[in-house]
Amino acid sequence: EKGTYPHFMLKEIDEQPLVMRRIIQSYQDDFDRLKLAPEIRGAMKRCDRIYIIAAGTSYHAGLAGKQFLENMAGIPTEVHVASEFSYNMPLLSEHPLFVFISQSGETADSRSVLVKIKEMGHPALTITNVAGSTLSRESDFTLHLHAGPEIAVASTKAYTAQIAVLAILAVDTARAKEIRLDFDPLQELAIAANAIEVLTDQKETIEELVRSNLATTQNAFFIGRGSDYFVCLEGALKLKEISYIQAEGFAGGELKHGTIALIEEGTPVIALATQENVNYAIRSNVQEVVARGANDMIFSMRGLEQDSDAFVVPQVHELIAPLVSVVPMQLLAYYAALHRGCDVDKPRNLAKSVTVE
Ligand code: M6R
């Protein structure tokens, strides 16, 4: 039920801190040990490469999760769009592990890859919000998102839950492989939950940004580098899906190779700056578009901010940043849809789960 909320999407955005805490509780015992099935740990230790298969928002969560699996667990990881995998299949490693990410567990594109790789004899782990879903039943192992039902077509809390569960999977593997980490990811997830809470209290600021920058625009660009780029892809998808503004997420350095031709006087360009190593570079990309008339909005992280930034998110560990920086992107999309009179929870042409290929 929506309760006092006008839309499920807004309720689900607000539920994210709670979901994050529920995930930490569900996967950790009283002695800080992680409660993952030994078979999953075994499969993670045995594999020499992970192939993440997903669609839409779940694909974007996979891109962020790849960072954990490579940086924490030391496993090379590829992320593939489910509907393309069979036609652009990479040369598989000797001991692949397939990880399917799907909120619904019913996405037909992902299922057809699952059927194919099971025929080939490879192991599969599904990360899903729906226990007993098709992908969960047909995989060897399942990890649950514990996000509670997600009703709005635009996925929000499932995305942050997927990234959190991927982080937990990576930490568990790192511990099993005795890889020493120089930070405590579980503690960082708890810090992220608090940060999201702070952000969900800043709705008015985001609504104001929408009123002055996105109320009537026909298009918008999201630019970022490193993991900010992945969040830009998600921010753009969210905005197109529910507000029908034509939006694209780009790697900041790639704009000048063609897309910058689309920048005109007043074109909104939303830039993410949460990563120290690319902070300078993304800001010069913003200068490039501003010089061509763009209307810039920089979303930075505390510690990296500059006075002219449109919005500053609380400081969290850089690897965890997508969990936090996506929240203002979700709110931008929400208020853009609201102010443009769109049906927020049920956008046109879309269903909650896509069960056709
Ligand atoms: O249930 P799934 O996670 O497999 O769904 C995948 C996509 O269809 C889904 O994430 C879609 O992109 C969302 N509506 C985006 O908000």
Side-chain angles (χ1 to χ4, degrees), residues 49-68:
R49 186 171 282 260
I50 289 173
Y51 295 85
I52 293 180
I53 309 292
T57 288
S58 299
Y59 169 72
H60 297 155
L63 292 171
K66 167 188 156 86
Q67 312 275 16
F68 305 140

Side-chain angles (χ1 to χ4, degrees), residues 95-117:
H95 301 291
L97 172 64
F98 281 82
V99 174
F100 292 84
I101 306 179
S102 174
Q103 188 283 131
S104 62
E106 301 297 342
T107 297
D109 289 325
S110 298
R111 177 163 187 255
S112 89
V113 179
L114 175 60
V115 169
K116 187 169 197 139
I117 63 104

Side-chain angles (χ1 to χ4, degrees), residues 54-59 101-107 110 135 152-156 158 162 234 237-238 241 350-354:
T57 288
S58 299
Y59 169 72
I101 306 179
S102 174
Q103 188 283 131
S104 62
E106 301 297 342
T107 297
S110 298
L135 286 175
V153 166
S155 185
T156 53
Q162 286 161 346
E234 175 59 8
L237 175 60
K238 220 78 314 163
E241 185 177 24
L350 285 163
K352 181 63 183 161
S353 49
V354 184

Side-chain angles (χ1 to χ4, degrees), residues 61-309:
L63 292 171
K66 167 188 156 86
Q67 312 275 16
F68 305 140
L69 296 166
E70 296 199 327
N71 290 305
M72 295 190 220
I75 309 174
T77 302
E78 295 180 18
V79 192
H80 292 271
V81 166
S83 59
E84 275 301 303
F85 185 80
S86 302
Y87 313 112
N88 280 316
M89 202 190 294
L91 193 57
L92 297 182
S93 66
E94 214 171 323
H95 301 291
L97 172 64
F98 281 82
V99 174
F100 292 84
I101 306 179
S102 174
Q103 188 283 131
S104 62
E106 301 297 342
T107 297
D109 289 325
S110 298
R111 177 163 187 255
S112 89
V113 179
L114 175 60
V115 169
K116 187 169 197 139
I117 63 104
K118 288 314 295 170
E119 277 167 13
M120 293 164 81
H122 300 309
L125 161 67
T126 283
I127 299 178
T128 183
N129 204 23
V130 184
S133 58
T134 307
L135 286 175
S136 171
R137 280 187 279 107
E138 296 180 359
S139 293
D140 301 277
F141 326 106
T142 298
L143 285 174
H144 291 295
L145 292 177
H146 299 290
E150 192 182 64
I151 310 294
V153 166
S155 185
T156 53
K157 62 177 178 172
Y159 172 86
T160 40
Q162 286 161 346
I163 296 180
V165 170
L166 283 163
I168 285 174
L169 178 65
V171 185
D172 186 74
T173 310
R175 289 184 185 171
K177 289 167 93 176
E178 294 179 18
I179 297 173
R180 278 180 63 89
L181 302 174
D182 59 4
F183 68 108
D184 178 355
L186 272 301
Q187 205 180 329
E188 296 300 335
L189 287 180
I191 294 172
N194 295 341
I196 297 174
E197 207 150 27
V198 170
L199 292 171
T200 54
D201 283 342
Q202 289 176 278
K203 295 190 184 77
E204 278 167 24
T205 315
I206 302 285
E207 189 172 7
E208 196 41 55
L209 283 173
V210 167
R211 257 201 217 102
S212 27
N213 299 289
L214 297 173
T216 56
T217 189
Q218 292 303 310
N219 60 358
F221 292 92
F222 290 73
I223 60 170
R225 305 178 78 129
S227 59
D228 285 338
Y229 166 47
F230 304 142
V231 180
C232 284
L233 295 177
E234 175 59 8
L237 175 60
K238 220 78 314 163
L239 191 65
K240 317 183 235 217
E241 185 177 24
I242 59 169
S243 77
Y244 316 141
I245 296 172
Q246 186 181 3
E248 296 305 332
F250 277 95
E254 195 60 15
L255 269 188
K256 59 183 174 296
H257 297 287
T259 310
I260 203 162
L262 293 172
I263 304 291
E264 295 176 335
E265 200 58 42
T267 306
V269 175
I270 293 139
L272 278 179
T274 74
Q275 307 287 308
E276 190 173 8
N277 64 336
V278 292
N279 195 26
Y280 178 79
I282 190 66
R283 287 175 186 280
S284 45
N285 296 141
V286 171
Q287 286 316 312
E288 289 157 12
V289 292
V290 167
R292 286 151 181 95
N295 176 12
D296 69 305
M297 274 175 275
I298 300 184
F299 286 70
S300 60
M301 179 170 282
R302 180 76 57 220
L304 300 175
E305 79 271 29
Q306 293 184 5
D307 286 346
S308 56
D309 293 353

